[in-house]
Amino acid sequence: MQAIMLTAEASDAGKRMDRFLTEKLEEFSRSYLQKLLKEERVLMDGKAVKANCRVQGGEQFEVFLPEQQEPQILPENIPLDILYEDQDILVVNKPQNMVVHPAAGHYEHTLVNALMYHCRGSLSGINGILRPGIVHRIDKDTSGALVICKNDAAHRSLAEQLAVHSITRRYRAIAQGYFQEDCFTVEGDIGRHPIDRKKMAVHVKNGKPAVTHVTVLQKLKGFSYLECRLETGRTHQIRVHLSGIGHPILGDPLYGPKKCPVPHLQGQVLHAMVLGFVHPRTGEYMEFTAPLPDYFKKLLQILR
């Protein structure tokens, strides 16, 4: 039986346990998580919690997944663009159109499959068998820098840095239209869309605080080339924030217009360019840069 460790943040206070689990474990359905609660597979301090239990904030929960329902995740010899590697961590430049970790109906050709082959089993296990080594993620159609943890000590250190928003994350994006200011900040609580469960939304009930700092790097033909710095790291944060102010990311299939203004794009033009954090063993601050992918550079040339 595998266990997933979850930590409740202050912003989770007051939420029912079943809602808290649904927001934290997006790869599982609400009904499946409610079933785990009924079967007393969700524990706090060794005691089972109920679906209507209210989260206080700061607690740690263990979610035990039945072994017979766990799919077999196989290593795959998929090439990795490695920016850095040592005994504790691995920093990769994830390509566009690659899923980070397996989920229902998608258990092959993910970054996790590639990591299992490359690391030969040396990955942290805190997030369970579906997400070994994964402490944070980026969307399938977003490219860029991602840190992987090879052991649980490294995972805990990086997770703590994420929780206090001390990790540097700077993205490059092309957004539709022009902006009145060259530097500005977008704020707005982000949570699951009340109707479309595939989407996130701003200013929804029980949303979590989200802050994105935006710098306009260059005006293009009908678009703007941006650097977006995350202060928080909510699901789809940059995509939702820019769409919410009327400037969706070019090619965004969820938050942009139905007809993409530039043909043949395979997703949003969004790249996680800079990633910085304190090394879990040495205590040294390290920063890595993932070069812009070729398709992104060609788009900039076309739109200039």
Side-chain angles (χ1 to χ4, degrees):
M1 184 179 296
Q2 297 290 327
I4 298 176
M5 302 295 296
L6 297 176
T7 300
E9 302 176 20
S11 58
D12 295 316
K15 295 178 182 176
R16 279 175 53 106
M17 193 64 207
D18 51 359
R19 182 181 182 85
F20 168 75
L21 291 179
T22 302
E23 293 178 356
K24 293 291 185 180
L25 302 174
E26 298 175 1
E27 64 267 39
F28 300 113
S29 68
R30 189 185 186 102
S31 60
Y32 176 74
L33 294 171
Q34 288 175 330
K35 183 174 182 290
L36 294 183
L37 286 162
K38 288 180 181 179
E39 294 176 352
E40 299 187 343
R41 295 183 182 274
V42 182
L43 307 181
M44 182 181 69
D45 296 329
K47 296 182 180 180
V49 294
K50 296 182 179 180
N52 61 358
C53 171
R54 297 285 177 174
V55 175
Q56 301 299 312
E59 309 101 311
Q60 288 192 328
F61 301 96
E62 292 179 284
V63 182
F64 291 92
L65 304 178
E67 290 184 5
Q68 64 271 21
Q69 296 185 17
E70 294 169 351
Q72 187 178 13
I73 310 301
L74 300 175
E76 294 182 50
N77 186 8
I78 301 171
L80 292 170
D81 183 359
I82 298 174
L83 302 176
Y84 176 82
E85 183 174 13
D86 61 25
Q87 62 182 322
D88 298 300
I89 60 172
L90 176 71
V91 181
V92 300
N93 182 13
K94 186 191 82 69
Q96 192 185 46
N97 202 34
M98 175 183 262
V99 174
V100 170
H101 62 77
H106 201 133
Y107 298 115
E108 298 179 333
H109 315 314
T110 72
L111 179 61
V112 161
N113 295 105
L115 292 169
M116 290 177 68
Y117 181 91
H118 177 82
C119 296
R120 310 296 187 191
S122 296
L123 292 167
S124 66
I126 290 177
N127 270 346
I129 68 163
L130 290 180
R131 296 185 286 180
I134 303 300
V135 67
H136 71 122
R137 64 189 179 93
I138 53 181
D139 300 328
K140 172 187 174 184
D141 293 326
T142 299
S143 56
L146 198 69
V147 61
I148 312 302
C149 297
K150 291 187 172 183
N151 53 65
D152 288 356
H155 192 122
R156 283 190 288 269
S157 174
L158 269 296
E160 289 171 1
Q161 293 179 57
L162 281 167
V164 298
H165 313 306
S166 64
I167 290 183
T168 300
R169 284 174 290 177
R170 299 205 300 271
Y171 287 67
R172 294 293 174 91
I174 297 178
Q176 297 188 35
Y178 301 127
F179 297 84
Q180 293 183 348
E181 300 176 273
D182 289 337
C183 295
F184 59 94
T185 297
V186 184
E187 298 185 58
D189 293 3
I190 292 177
R192 185 65 57 183
H193 194 285
I195 299 174
D196 188 344
R197 298 293 294 173
K198 293 181 180 180
K199 299 175 67 173
M200 307 299 287
V202 186
H203 305 306
V204 292
K205 186 178 180 181
N206 296 321
K208 295 180 180 180
V211 181
T212 306
H213 303 285
V214 182
T215 300
V216 178
L217 300 177
Q218 188 177 22
K219 288 185 177 180
L220 307 172
K221 297 174 183 177
F223 301 91
S224 296
Y225 180 33
L226 310 175
E227 178 175 88
C228 301
R229 180 174 64 84
L230 290 180
E231 184 172 316
T232 56
R234 308 306 177 196
T235 300
H236 298 176
Q237 179 172 315
I238 296 174
R239 299 166 64 188
V240 174
H241 269 170
L242 289 178
S243 175
I245 61 173
H247 298 276
I249 293 177
L250 174 60
D252 194 325
L254 274 181
Y255 304 102
K258 291 183 179 180
K259 185 176 180 180
C260 180
V262 176
H264 310 304
L265 288 180
Q266 295 184 350
Q268 63 271 3
V269 185
L270 182 63
H271 178 70
M273 192 166 192
V274 178
L275 179 65
F277 52 84
V278 174
H279 191 281
R281 185 181 297 268
T282 68
E284 175 190 0
Y285 178 78
M286 308 179 76
E287 195 167 277
F288 305 92
T289 299
L292 284 177
D294 289 341
Y295 89 92
F296 201 128
K297 290 188 287 187
K298 289 177 182 178
L299 267 175
L300 287 174
Q301 292 175 352
I302 293 170
L303 297 174
R304 279 175 176 147

